[in-house]
Amino acid sequence: MNKTIKLRVKKEIGNSDELKVLKLKGALIAKKYTEIIHIIDENDDFYLNSFSSSPAHKKEAEDFILDYISNNNLTGTITLVSTKN
């Protein structure tokens, strides 16, 4: 059974951070962690991005996301949302 990974992404961001967010999503697809990323409005300030990944790749994908956020100074822009699955 696939596991869901969720990202909370700030809506109001600059062009530079927006490009970094798009590159993260592209990298997640290119690395085959997922095939599609779903985006919904969470509230007035944030989008909720979610995707399914195989159980074998869930931890690897989460580690990649956390490293990417840290390496690209996106701590205030993207948050990995904790899930129980």
Side-chain angles (χ1 to χ4, degrees):
M1 178 177 191
N2 283 345
K3 303 293 183 180
T4 301
I5 297 174
K6 295 180 182 178
L7 303 172
R8 181 174 288 121
V9 180
K10 193 173 183 180
K11 286 184 178 181
E12 299 294 325
I13 58 176
N15 289 340
S16 175
D17 283 350
E18 186 173 350
L19 182 59
K20 291 175 186 177
V21 170
L22 290 173
K23 286 182 178 181
L24 169 61
K25 293 177 187 180
L28 291 169
I29 293 168
K31 290 180 174 289
K32 302 199 185 292
Y33 292 132
T34 189
E35 292 181 4
I36 189 167
I37 298 173
H38 304 278
I39 304 169
I40 61 170
D41 282 336
E42 183 178 40
N43 55 39
D44 290 339
D45 298 318
F46 294 95
Y47 295 111
L48 192 60
N49 293 235
S50 62
F51 63 93
S52 295
S53 188
S54 69
H57 290 113
K58 182 176 190 270
K59 174 85 168 96
E60 183 180 336
E62 290 175 338
D63 289 345
F64 173 79
I65 292 165
L66 291 172
D67 287 344
Y68 188 93
I69 290 170
S70 177
N71 293 337
N72 289 279
N73 300 317
L74 293 171
T75 306
T77 305
I78 303 174
T79 305
L80 182 62
V81 179
S82 178
T83 56
K84 295 185 179 186
N85 61 358

